[in-house]
Every structure is written in structure tokens, then in C-alpha cells.
């Protein structure tokens, strides 16, 4: 406590040096230290931005924490990329700390995913469990998710509570209640505190404690941790604490708090409380003074050392966006010997079946993918029967949890495959995809890449209407740190799905509903001979679907179409009107993009149409047209054309209106005719 107080005082006295925004643990020290002292190396903990005392209690030195405070290059957590007390840590000597964001409450889902992963690995007896956690016993791993009281009002926190309660996960939600959410008081923000609120989630045990009293806090956390280790049930600990410091260095307490409020909180300062208790137990004043002096000297010396530490090297700024994948070349037999033609939906099903047979740590979950239905498109049919309900199961309508839980699942070594039922439904999960998944590898300097495969049925056909027909690739492609795959046939589906699963980075797989069953006229070619079990296609490699005739290329009578998904079939149908004059590239992967193939093809023909199902304005296709124009400028005979859907807010239900909005073969043919005759 003396160390934490000295750190806060040092930061305040050196505001010009401590120029990056930060918070301190002042007022919260007792419950934080009491929590840290219960943890073992096989455990997991997610501290939030005010939890520096948890870090001190785990054994991290002030110097280590200060390197992050000052965003120094030797910051072991993020190399100068993250705010103070946004740690991540993976080593055998301390509990694991996954990367998490500053978005308050958002850590609840990834951290609950850790507990979900631990429970699954325990069930299958996996060797992936951290040492010391081989069986359910007094040393079984637990998970601590630390939250501020204001964050509990977030909807995503409730999704985490619901899943933990339903599945009885070994997690403790530590809620530190200081009555403030920046300048918003508890009275104006919520009707109940976390202790009262959690009563609505049947299956979560609860307890409240004076978090400013170290002895009470220690006894409470000792009891709760023991319960979770042995009984594998979730708990919520509600700790009432004072807020003695500023909300952050940028939002200072005197901006909005009264002297009366500050004085009331100061009464419960954990440091003087503990000091008085120690004196009452016979510890001498001299000994306590010596402890304070030692802490002050340590902090003073560590701060001077951290201040003198070097800045990050500028040319490291682009490191760790992704970790390398081993899948770099196409392998296996694309048309398996003795195999029959299969639908795209079945190719995906067979690929996942083979994955789950080979990797016991692979699990599949999402809405309606379980035993009764096997997916609304039957894309998971029979999998639960074969692998069990613990490996293939339904979730509630919780897109945020489905997506965000994969952060924690991946961190413990599970291999999640999850499904968002329709592309239009992904938006509630974007917070987790953007804030937690996409940034994890980069901000942890490669320690916590998120290996997840997120399947998303996409696209319009046959009157699906405004909430089951959308295209979302442009939205996803603005998110850096994820990969986007979009197969257009059964062989690519199987080969790309295998590569996506093996990729150690997050991959979103967009699967066109209209191609699943080849029921749309002109999409019969999406049905292909099933590839062999070992067939795999590296991400970022496009495919030449149709070649133009060499003699017509030489005479300047050709153009190329760059497309993907349903666009492949519109282009193929349109190309029949221009024999030998059209070359079609199926991108297959939207990020990473096969720029080499795209640019080489455009340069060869000099004329290019980029075709998409998305609304055209401000789309990925238009952005790609700009890149093509710049890279191929000297070889172009005409401006790069783009054809997409009309710029409407949604796909209409009526099929006449739907057809009027979307591209089709006739519209593509008209644009090709203009290009070729221009």
C-alpha cells in the first residue's frame, strides 16, 4: 500500500513527465492486494485500468509498471503502445493476463471466454491446461475478471454473466464500487449496485465486502477463491471502496467532486486503516515508518530509471499486426479421387468434421448450430451427434459473447469456430471484434494473437428481406488486424476453411447463402468435387476462373472482371456474350488481397471491371478501383469501372425490388459491352 501511494504521489508531482493519461489504484489498494495474494501461476486475471495494486501484489515491480506509464520501448507488456496498467502477460511464474481494452466492461466477455475454455479443457482432460491444473482440485485454475461498478451497466457484461451462470464457469467477477463513473454518480446511473444486480442471474454466488479493510478483504477473497477452485462455480464479489485519486490524470477529481465528497471518501483510505490495525496488534511505529521509507525510496529510484529508459524505435510501429501462418502454399488434391460433387454447405460441414476429428480442442458454437437443428442452413448438421453437445452447442442470442469469447478460448489453447447466424446480425458483435479481437496481437506484441474462425452467412437471394440479405465486407475491411475470406465454390470453401482454422490470427469467413445449395439459377458450378482431406488453400491467393483468349488479348479486345462471391457467377454468365474476351478473377480472400494477381491481370488487359454485391458507394470495390488505377495507370486503356448494388439502406423484401437493386448478369454484360467498345 505504501508503494502504491508513493507511485500515485510521484506521478502527481511529475505531471509533465507523466504526460500520457493514467489512473492509479488509490482507495482500491486493499481489495486489489487481497485478490492478488490468492492467485497461483496457473490462474488467469484481467485487471482493469485502475488495478495497479493487483499488479504489485502479483510481484511486478514499480519500474515495470512505470515503463508502460511512460510508454517506453522496454515496456514488457505492449512496447509503448498501450495506456498505463493495460497489461498482458504469459509466463510460467505468474498468472496469465490476456490483453484487454480500455472499453469499460468489454473485458467481461473475453475473460469469461477464458473460464469457458478452462472448463472445456478440464472436461476433455487436455494437456493444454497450465501446469498445476491437471485435475479439478485445490489448485485448479480460476479466473478473476476485475470491473469498476459503472461498467456493470454495460449490456455485454450481462451477456458474460448469463453465460457464466448458465454454464457454471470457474470465474470471479470482482466489482470495485467507488460510486463514480467519471463524473456520473451511482445515484444517477443505476438503480442497484452489482451485488443486488447479480441476484437476477441464477447460479452466480455473491458476497459484499468493505474493500477498504485489508483483513476483511483478504478473508473474503481467500474464501471465494477456495470455493471456486473446488466447486467450479461463478462468484461475484462486490467490494465497496473509496476513490481517492483522480478518475484519470486527464479528468481530475476537482473538476466535478465536492470537498464534502472527497472528505467522505478519505475516511476510508485503506492505508491509514491498515496502519492503525497494525499498531493495535503491536507492530511498532518505527517498523511501519521504515516500510514507508523503503517504499518511497524504491518508487523514487524506479521512476528515475524508467524516465531515463529509451523510447520505442519508430520502425517497430508496424510489427505484430499478425503472427505468421504456416499455410503458405496450396496443398492436396483439389478434386479428390473417387469423390462426388458436393454442395458448398456440405463442403464446409465436411471440413469442420475433419477438423474436429483431428483436433480435440476444436469447438463449434453459435445460435441454432446444436443438435436439434444443426444450423439454419444445416451447415452444422450431425456434428453434435458425432462430437457431443460439449463440442457443438447452441448459444443464446448473444453476438457479442459469441465473437468476444473466442479471445479467452484462444488464450487457453482451445480452437473456437463460431457462427453469426446472418451477416446482418454481426453488428452487436463488432465492439468485441474491433476492440478486443483485432487489437490483441498488435497491442500484446504478439503474445496474444486470437486464433478464431468466425463463420458468417452473407448475401441476398430470393426475398430474404432487409435483415437477412446484407453484405458487410466493407465494414469488416475497415477493421485492421483481422482476415476476411469469401469463397465462391465448394472446393474453395473446404480449402479456405481449413486454412482459416489453422491460421493463428482471427479470420472471418463470409459464406454466401445463395451459393450454399446452388439453388440460384446460374450457380450450379458452385457444386464441385469434394477435395481430399489434406487440401488447403493459403489465404491471400486469388484464382483465375475464366481466361481470355491469347489472340484477343494481343489485339486489345479483352477486359478483366475482378470479383468474388456471387459476382463470380454474374460475371461468368455475362462473359458468355463475349467469347474469349473476358478474364475473371475470383479474389477468394479480401484481406490479405492477392494484389499481385489483380495488378498483373489488369495490366495484361488494360480494361477492368470490379464487381461486388455490396452497395457501390464508398465500398471495398471502389477503394480497390483506386488502388488498381494507381498501380496500373500506365497500362490502362480506360478508367477502372465499378459495378455494385444500388446505394440503398437495405435490400427490399419483394423480389422485383431486390432484383432491381442488385447486380445481375444483364447489368454486368451491359457494363462489359461499354468497356470493350469504348
Amino acid at each position: 500500500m505504501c508503494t502504491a501511494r508513493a507511485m500515485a504521489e510521484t506521478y502527481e508531482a511529475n505531471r509533465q513527465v507523466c504526460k500520457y493519461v493514467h489512473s492509479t489504484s488509490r482507495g482500491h489498494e486493499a481489495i486489489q492486494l487481497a485478490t492478488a495474494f490468492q492467485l497461483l501461476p496457473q490462474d488467469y486475471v484481467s485487471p482493469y485500468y485502475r488495478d495497479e495494486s493487483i499488479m504489485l501484489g502479483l510481484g511486478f515491480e514499480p519500474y515495470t509498471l512505470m515503463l508502460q506509464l511512460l510508454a517506453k520501448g522496454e515496456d514488457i507488456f505492449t512496447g509503448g503502445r498501450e495506456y498505463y496498467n493495460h497489461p498482458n502477460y504469459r509466463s510460467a511464474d505468474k498468472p496469465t493476463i490476456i490483453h484487454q481494452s480500455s472499453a469499460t466492461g468489454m473485458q467481461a466477455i473475453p475473460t469469461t471466454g477464458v473460464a469457458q475454455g478452462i472448463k472445456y479443457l478440464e472436461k476433455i482432460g487436455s494437456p493444454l491446461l497450465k501446469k498445476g491444473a491437471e485435475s479439478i482440485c485445490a489448485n485448479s485454475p480460476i479466473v478473476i475478471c476485475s470491473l469498476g461498478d459503472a461498467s456493470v451497466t454495460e449490456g455485454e457484461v450481462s451477456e458474460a454473466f448469463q453465460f457464466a451462470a448458465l454454464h457454471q464457469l470457474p470465474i470471479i467477477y470482482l466489482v470495485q464500487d467507488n460510486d463514480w463513473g467519471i463524473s456520473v454518480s451511482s445515484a444517477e446511473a443505476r438503480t442497484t449496485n452489482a451485488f443486488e444486480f447479480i441476484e437476477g442471474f441464477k447460479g452466480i454466488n455473491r458476497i459484499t465486502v468493505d474493500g477498504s479493510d485489508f483483513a476483511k478483504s483478504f478473508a473474503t477473497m481467500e474464501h471465494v477463491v477456495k470455493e471456486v477452485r473446488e466447486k467450479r462455480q461463478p462468484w461475484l464479489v462486490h467490494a465497496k471502496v473509496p476513490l481517492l485519486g483522480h478518475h484519470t490524470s486527464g479528468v481530475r477529481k476537482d473538476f466535478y467532486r465536492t470537498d464534502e465528497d472527497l472528505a467522505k471518501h478519505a475516511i476510508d483510505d485503506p492505508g491509514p486503516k491498515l496502519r492503525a490495525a497494525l499498531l493495535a496488534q503491536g507492530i511498532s511505529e518505527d517498523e511501519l515508518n521504515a516500510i514507508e521509507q523503503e517504499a518511497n525510496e524504491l518508487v523514487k529510484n524506479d521512476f528515475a530509471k524508467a524516465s531515463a529508459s529509451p523510447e520505442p524505435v519508430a520502425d517497430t510501429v508496424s510489427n505484430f499486426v499478425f503472427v505468421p501462418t504456416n499455410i503458405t502454399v496450396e496443398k492436396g488434391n483439389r478434386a479428390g479421387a473417387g469423390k462426388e460433387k458436393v454442395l458448398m454447405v456440405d463442403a464446409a460441414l465436411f471440413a469442420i468434421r475433419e477438423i474436429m476429428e483431428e483436433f480435440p480442442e476444436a469447438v463449434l458454437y453459435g445460435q441454432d448450430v446444436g443438435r436439434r437443428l444443426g444450423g439454419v442452413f444445416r451447415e452444422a448438421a450431425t456434428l453434435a451427434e458425432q462430437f457431443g453437445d460439449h463440442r457443438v452447442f447452441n448459444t443464446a442470442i448473444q453476438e457479442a459473447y459469441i465473437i468476444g469469447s473466442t479471445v479467452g478460448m484462444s488464450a487457453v489453447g482451445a480452437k473456437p469456430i463460431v457462427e453469426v447466424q446472418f451477416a446482418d446480425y454481426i453488428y452487436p458483435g463488432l465492439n468485441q471484434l474491433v476492440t478486443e479481437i483485432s487489437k490483441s496481437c498488435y497491442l500484446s506484441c504478439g503474445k496474444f494473437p486470437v486464433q478464431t474462425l468466425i463463420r458468417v452467412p452473407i448475401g441476398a437471394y430470393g426475398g430474404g428481406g432487409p435483415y437477412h440479405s446484407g453484405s458487410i465486407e466493407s465494414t469488416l475491411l475497415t477493421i485492421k488486424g483481422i482476415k476476411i475470406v469469401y469463397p465462391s465454390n465448394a472446393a474453395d470453401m473446404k480449402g479456405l476453411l481449413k486454412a482459416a482454422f489453422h491460421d493463428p490470427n482471427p479470420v472471418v469467413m463470409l459464406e454466401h447463402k445463395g451459393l450454399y445449395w446452388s439453388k440460384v439459377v446460374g450457380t450450379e458450378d458452385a457444386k464441385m468435387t469434394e477435395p481430399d482431406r489434406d487440401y488447403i488453400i493459403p489465404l491471400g491467393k486469388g484464382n483465375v476462373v475464366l481466361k481470355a483468349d491469347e489472340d484477343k488479348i494481343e489485339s486489345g479486345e479483352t477486359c478483366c472482371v475482378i470479383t468474388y462471391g456471387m459476382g463470380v457467377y454474374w460475371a461468368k454468365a455475362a462473359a458468355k456474350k463475349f467469347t474469349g474476351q473476358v478474364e475473371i478473377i475470383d479474389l477468394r480472400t479480401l484481406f490479405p488481397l492477392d494484389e499481385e494477381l489483380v495488378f498483373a491481370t489488369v495490366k495484361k488487359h488494360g480494361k477492368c471491371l470490379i464487381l461486388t454485391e455490396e452497395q457501390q458507394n464508398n465500398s471495398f470495390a471502389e477503394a480497390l478501383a483506386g488502388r488498381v488505377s494507381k498501380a496500373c495507370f500506365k497500362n490502362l486503356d480506360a478508367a477502372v469501372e465499378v459495378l455494385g448494388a444500388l446505394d440503398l439502406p437495405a435490400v427490399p423484401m419483394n423480389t422485383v425490388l431486390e432484383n432491381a437493386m442488385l447486380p445481375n448478369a444483364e447489368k454486368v454484360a451491359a457494363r462489359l459491352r461499354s468497356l470493350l467498345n469504348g
Side-chain angles (χ1 to χ4, degrees):
M1 285 193 195
C2 294
T3 303
R5 182 175 66 233
M7 289 164 71
E9 291 171 352
T10 298
Y11 303 164
E12 183 69 9
N14 292 273
R15 289 172 61 186
Q16 295 301 111
V17 177
C18 305
K19 59 185 178 180
Y20 301 109
V21 65
H22 58 272
S23 297
T24 71
S25 58
R26 286 292 287 119
H28 295 226
E29 300 98 326
I31 187 64
Q32 290 182 18
L33 292 168
T35 299
F37 293 158
Q38 313 305 323
L39 297 180
L40 302 173
Q42 59 262 35
D43 295 330
Y44 292 77
V45 59
S46 287
Y48 85 114
Y49 58 82
R50 200 179 296 285
D51 283 353
E52 68 187 356
S53 285
I54 284 184
M55 300 299 289
L56 292 172
L58 293 175
F60 290 98
E61 293 296 322
Y63 172 70
T64 302
L65 306 185
M66 291 169 180
L67 288 173
Q68 188 172 52
L69 170 83
L70 302 175
K72 296 293 189 174
E74 294 177 359
D75 160 29
I76 67 166
F77 304 123
T78 68
R81 299 176 179 192
E82 263 278 30
Y83 307 96
Y84 183 50
N85 210 70
H86 285 61
N88 61 84
Y89 191 76
R90 189 194 287 275
S91 190
D93 66 322
K94 292 182 178 66
T96 299
I97 306 173
I98 64 171
H99 175 267
Q100 66 180 46
S101 73
S102 268
T104 52
M106 296 308 96
Q107 72 270 35
I109 286 177
T111 309
T112 304
V114 171
Q116 178 188 346
I118 288 172
K119 180 174 180 178
Y120 175 71
L121 295 179
E122 287 178 341
K123 183 173 181 63
I124 66 172
S126 174
L128 294 171
L129 286 166
K130 290 182 73 175
K131 187 177 181 181
E134 291 81 3
S135 61
I136 296 175
C137 61
N139 289 331
S140 291
I142 64 153
V143 181
I144 301 276
C145 179
S146 180
L147 300 155
D149 55 299
S151 71
V152 177
T153 58
E154 282 276 9
E156 293 187 13
V157 175
S158 291
E159 289 193 22
F161 288 166
Q162 188 73 253
F163 197 94
L166 181 65
H167 293 273
Q168 289 295 283
L169 303 182
I171 187 169
I172 300 166
Y173 299 101
L174 171 62
V175 180
Q176 300 173 59
D177 185 353
N178 61 31
D179 274 333
W180 286 102
I182 308 185
S183 68
V184 180
S185 68
S186 58
E188 61 186 308
R190 56 190 185 275
T191 59
T192 59
N193 64 32
F195 178 75
E196 298 159 339
F197 179 64
I198 204 66
E199 189 175 13
F201 295 86
K202 295 180 180 179
I204 297 183
N205 303 287
R206 61 180 183 148
I207 194 168
T208 190
V209 65
D210 178 357
S212 68
D213 185 311
F214 177 76
K216 290 179 180 177
S217 295
F218 188 93
T220 296
M221 293 309 300
E222 185 178 44
H223 166 70
V224 171
V225 167
K226 184 175 185 292
E227 285 285 298
V228 178
R229 287 200 196 283
E230 295 179 355
K231 297 181 180 178
R232 319 308 280 157
Q233 296 174 343
W235 277 75
L236 181 138
V237 176
H238 171 254
K240 201 71 181 69
V241 292
L243 178 59
L244 303 182
H246 307 292
H247 169 70
T248 67
S249 56
V251 183
R252 303 177 66 75
K253 58 189 178 184
D254 44 293
F255 290 177
Y256 60 92
R257 295 177 68 183
T258 65
D259 291 342
E260 181 183 6
D261 176 66
L262 292 169
K264 183 180 76 172
H265 279 244
I267 293 170
D268 285 320
D269 188 336
K273 275 189 174 183
L274 181 57
R275 199 178 203 282
L278 293 172
L279 287 170
Q281 291 182 32
I283 306 298
S284 72
E285 183 90 32
D286 288 345
E287 187 171 350
L288 296 181
N289 289 340
I291 290 172
E292 292 176 355
Q293 182 61 33
E294 182 182 353
N296 289 338
E297 285 298 315
L298 172 66
V299 169
K300 177 183 175 182
N301 293 334
D302 278 7
F303 186 75
K305 182 181 172 185
S307 298
S309 180
E311 298 293 319
V313 177
D315 63 10
T316 65
V317 68
S318 296
N319 294 352
F320 305 115
V321 176
F322 296 110
V323 292
T325 176
N326 292 326
I327 309 302
T328 57
V329 296
E330 186 171 354
K331 293 180 180 178
N333 192 345
R334 182 173 174 87
K339 300 266 188 169
E340 297 181 353
K341 283 192 173 184
V342 295
L343 298 164
M344 262 186 69
V345 70
D346 288 334
L349 175 67
F350 299 157
I352 291 177
R353 177 181 295 156
E354 291 168 0
I355 286 168
M356 297 189 79
E357 287 171 347
E358 185 175 354
F359 297 95
E361 61 270 30
V363 292
L364 170 66
Y365 56 97
Q367 295 170 36
D368 297 304
V369 302
R371 183 183 298 263
R372 291 188 194 90
L373 187 59
V376 293
F377 301 102
R378 303 293 288 162
E379 70 279 7
T382 72
L383 292 178
E385 287 88 342
Q386 181 174 352
F387 298 106
D389 296 328
H390 64 298
R391 295 189 67 188
V392 182
F393 59 90
N394 294 328
T395 65
I397 302 172
Q398 294 180 330
E399 287 82 9
Y401 188 87
I402 292 167
I403 290 173
S405 61
T406 65
V407 176
M409 291 283 282
S410 173
V412 302
K415 296 183 182 296
I417 304 169
V418 299
E419 183 177 310
V420 174
Q421 200 166 71
F422 290 90
D424 310 76
Y425 298 171
I426 201 171
Y427 296 102
L430 283 187
N431 198 1
Q432 289 291 322
L433 189 61
V434 174
T435 307
E436 306 299 336
I437 290 179
S438 72
K439 295 175 172 60
S440 184
C441 185
Y442 181 69
L443 293 180
S444 69
C445 293
K447 292 191 292 296
F448 287 96
V450 180
Q451 182 176 16
T452 180
L453 171 53
I454 302 170
R455 299 181 64 192
V456 185
I458 192 171
Y461 79 101
Y467 299 107
H468 296 79
S469 306
S471 292
I472 59 168
E473 54 265 35
S474 290
T475 298
L476 295 178
L477 285 161
T478 64
I479 305 169
K480 313 310 173 190
I482 63 174
K483 299 183 180 183
I484 313 294
V485 179
Y486 204 141
S488 68
N489 59 68
D492 287 348
M493 171 70 90
K494 187 171 184 181
L496 290 169
L497 195 151
K498 290 284 187 80
F501 174 80
H502 286 286
D503 199 300
N505 303 287
V507 182
V508 178
M509 191 149 185
L510 304 177
E511 306 172 10
H512 201 291
K513 304 186 299 292
L515 300 178
Y516 264 159
W517 296 87
S518 290
K519 289 183 176 180
V520 177
V521 175
T523 63
E524 295 80 8
D525 288 349
K527 186 177 180 181
M528 299 184 74
T529 303
E530 184 192 355
D532 282 342
R533 187 185 191 96
D534 61 349
Y535 181 63
I536 198 161
I537 303 170
L539 305 188
K541 297 295 183 182
N543 186 37
V544 181
V545 173
L546 180 67
K547 290 186 176 182
D549 292 347
E550 288 297 329
D551 59 334
K552 292 187 177 180
I553 295 173
E554 288 294 324
S555 60
E557 300 176 72
T558 62
C559 68
C560 63
V561 180
I562 311 299
T563 189
Y564 55 95
M566 187 63 79
V568 171
Y569 299 93
W570 294 328
K572 287 171 71 174
K576 292 177 181 178
K577 300 179 184 294
F578 310 95
T579 305
Q581 292 184 271
V582 178
E583 190 149 318
I584 301 172
I585 300 299
D586 181 358
L587 293 174
R588 302 198 294 194
T589 304
L590 306 186
F591 189 88
L593 185 70
D594 193 346
E595 288 188 347
E596 182 180 357
L597 176 62
V598 170
F599 295 161
T601 304
V602 174
K603 289 176 181 178
K604 181 167 63 174
H605 297 281
K607 302 183 185 75
C608 174
L609 171 64
I610 298 177
L611 174 60
T612 179
E613 182 174 325
E614 279 196 297
Q615 292 90 327
Q616 182 174 327
N617 197 28
N618 298 323
S619 65
F620 157 68
E622 284 197 335
L624 179 56
R627 288 154 67 187
V628 169
S629 296
K630 183 176 181 180
C632 306
F633 180 75
K634 293 180 180 179
N635 302 87
L636 290 175
D637 298 322
V640 177
E641 293 279 346
V642 178
L643 177 61
L646 300 180
D647 295 317
L648 304 175
V651 180
M653 177 75 78
N654 182 276
T655 54
V656 173
L657 298 177
E658 178 186 278
N659 290 335
M661 177 187 179
L662 296 178
N664 56 36
E666 290 73 26
K667 294 176 185 178
V668 175
R671 193 64 66 89
L672 291 177
R673 186 173 294 109
S674 175
L675 257 181
L676 290 167
N677 296 333

